[in-house]
Amino acid sequence: MAETADTETLSFEEALRRLEAIVQQLERGDVPLDQSITLYEEGDRLRAQCQKRLDAAQARIEQIMTGADGAIKTAPYPAQ
Amino acid sequence: MEEGPVRFDASGRLLAQERQGDNQPPVSVSELSSQLKRTVEDRFGHVRLRGEISGWKRAASGHAYLALKDDAALIDGVMWKGTAGRLAFAPEDGLDVIVTGKVTTYPGRSKYQIVIESMELAGEGALMQLFEKLKAKLTEEGLFDPARRRPIPMLPHVIGVVTSPTGAVIRDILHRLGDRFPSRVLLWPVLVQGDGAAAQVANAVRGFGALPVDGPVPRPDVVIVARGGGSIEDLWTFNEEIVVRAVAASPIPIISAVGHETDTTLCDFAADLRAPTPTAAAEMAVPVRAELMANVAELDARMRRCLARGVERSRERLEAQRRLLPKPDVLLGQARQRADDLGDRLRRGLSHRLTRARHELADAGGALRPALLDAKVARGRQQLAAVRLSPVLLERLLADSQRQFDGLWRLAQSLNPDAPLSRGFARVMASGVLVRSADAARAAGQVTLKFADGEVAAITGETRPEPPAPPAPRPARKVAPAPPGQTDLFD
């Protein structure tokens, strides 16, 4: 419960784990009602964050190109 | 040819003599060596030679020196810089190899050697031998220690792929990634086989690791090193020490997918995760988006249920507690009973008190006797009789008052202004005012004559000549003969 912290900085995996932990905690049913509401609010933020990441999924394929000066750049990968 | 003066024959001669019939002139060493060289190189200009490497040594110049041997013979060999640099594996002593090249001689030291143009391992046995040897060495260094393996991120933002830009491998990987979780992919194109492949692969792995975290080229969260299936030689690039070390040292977690499931390379051992195929590597790199969506949705639903249930349970608990509260009836019952009891007793008390009061009254009433009152009344009567009051005094007073009143009444009757009207007089009024003179009558013009039985309107004017007497005195005349019905009030 102490790690209510900053959900924005969590990775997807951490956010999902935290969400799972919250759900399990709520399901155990030993949390007082007002605290369970706080937990729910945190869980809802985490859920929105996970959802946002899932919604943002987009394929983008690039290829590494090494320039004459040795600098590394990217170029679109030709679709085959 | 002139020779020196001293000559010996074969059994003790000092000098070589031209024999009769012998026309073979002696040749110089250089000549022979040159002849040998020509002969050897012509004859052994292209040989395929199998042997075990011994005394492998790469000189600073880049040329490599070695010997090939078997259990009975040995031949020196050399690989020039260009050839040695292109080797697909790192030769070492004891390796059974097949080389191709040409045999040459080295006249300066009466030596012959083979100049190696290509070198291959002699069969899988040799390759496995090399594999095992390198594996043992790197294991000892701890490169394959499972404790070194880092977890693969569940959902990487950027996935690096080190493989050939063409062919089925990259296609399979992209396809499977797209199916599961469309992602950003950075392909680092490399040769996966042949000359320079190992250096390219190692460079790509190191290159990804060297990318700054927030540079223009995004640094991958996970890197897949992949190659399709092939023979052990085809896959050998991924057993090269340079590749294995680069993979082991990568700061980014690596998934190795080289060859088919049955193929094992040292790259696999050094990687953080080994995938049996490139497609499987894609599966390990990303989760299935749809499953995650369902998972998140399910967690959300469970969470909502919990909250709803929590509220419900609290409500139930409240209800239960409420039920545990004693009923108002129970709480009040006793008090009410007591009130009823007190009420009863009050009533009974009052009634009792009343009864007692009645008794007291009755007791007191018993002392009251009519005789006492009777005696009192009789006594009063006697006292009254003793006064001897006579009504005569009062009756006389009454008669006197009657006479006095009668007289006053007759006087009042005679003074009634309307009384003369009944005897024929009329009263003249104008505008409700008594007219008292002829002038006033004339001035009024219109007057009202009031008789005993009513009023008459009249117009006043100058005295007419015809009637001898004005109407006014007429009633006056009538006054004299009093009507017969009219009697004196005082009669």
Side-chain angles (χ1 to χ4, degrees), chain B residues 50-73:
Chain B
R50 176 173 182 166
E52 186 187 314
I53 297 174
S54 171
W56 171 269
K57 182 184 165 207
R58 200 189 282 266
S61 60
H63 309 316
Y65 302 93
L66 70 159
L68 291 173
K69 64 179 185 184
D70 55 24
D71 48 12

Side-chain angles (χ1 to χ4, degrees), chain A residues 12-13 16 19-20 22-24 26-30 33 36-37 39-40 42-44 47 50-51 53-66 72-74 77 80, chain B residues 152-157 165-167 170-171 174 181-189 207-208 211 217-218 289 292-293 295-296 299-300 302-304 306-307 309-311 313-314:
Chain A
F12 178 85
E13 188 173 6
L16 191 63
L19 178 58
E20 278 169 350
I22 284 175
V23 170
Q24 280 164 14
L26 287 174
E27 283 180 339
R28 276 202 303 278
D30 53 3
L33 185 61
S36 74
I37 289 168
L39 276 175
Y40 175 84
E42 189 195 344
D44 199 50
R47 179 205 57 79
C50 289
Q51 193 65 50
R53 173 76 179 90
L54 293 175
D55 289 342
Q58 194 186 3
R60 179 172 162 190
I61 320 296
E62 288 163 305
Q63 184 169 217
I64 295 284
M65 309 281 278
T66 308
I72 289 168
K73 286 174 290 198
T74 59
Y77 174 70
Q80 294 189 27
Chain B
I152 306 295
M154 179 189 188
L155 183 51
H157 287 273
T166 57
I170 184 65
R171 218 167 45 227
L174 293 178
F181 203 111
S183 305
R184 185 164 187 190
V185 177
L186 274 183
L187 167 68
W188 197 305
F208 271 140
L211 284 174
V217 176
R289 180 166 167 265
L292 283 179
M293 298 274 248
N295 191 7
V296 168
L299 286 173
D300 186 39
R302 276 164 65 189
M303 192 167 61
R304 282 172 199 283
C306 282
L307 190 70
R309 207 172 51 217
V311 171
R313 195 162 36 222
S314 294

Side-chain angles (χ1 to χ4, degrees), chain A residues 7-21:
Chain A
T7 52
E8 291 299 309
T9 60
L10 296 179
S11 73
F12 178 85
E13 188 173 6
E14 287 163 339
L16 191 63
R17 280 220 194 94
R18 175 78 187 122
L19 178 58
E20 278 169 350

Side-chain angles (χ1 to χ4, degrees), chain B residues 365-393:
Chain B
L368 281 174
R369 303 253 154 54
L372 284 171
L373 282 175
D374 288 351
K376 236 175 186 170
V377 169
R379 208 163 44 240
R381 265 198 196 119
Q382 279 172 356
Q383 283 174 351
L384 191 62
V387 172
R388 277 209 218 125
L389 267 177
S390 166
V392 177
L393 289 171

Side-chain angles (χ1 to χ4, degrees), chain B residues 396-417:
Chain B
R396 197 181 298 152
L397 197 57
L398 186 65
D400 286 349
S401 296
Q402 183 71 49
R403 264 195 305 275
Q404 224 165 3
F405 175 72
D406 288 349
L408 280 171
W409 180 244
R410 267 193 307 274
L411 182 60
Q413 286 290 79
S414 69
L415 291 176
N416 182 1

Side-chain angles (χ1 to χ4, degrees), chain B residues 38-56:
Chain B
R38 240 187 341 267
T39 306
V40 168
E41 288 183 3
D42 282 353
R43 171 66 184 82
F44 303 106
H46 181 86
V47 295
R48 229 168 107 72
L49 173 70
R50 176 173 182 166
E52 186 187 314
I53 297 174
S54 171
W56 171 269

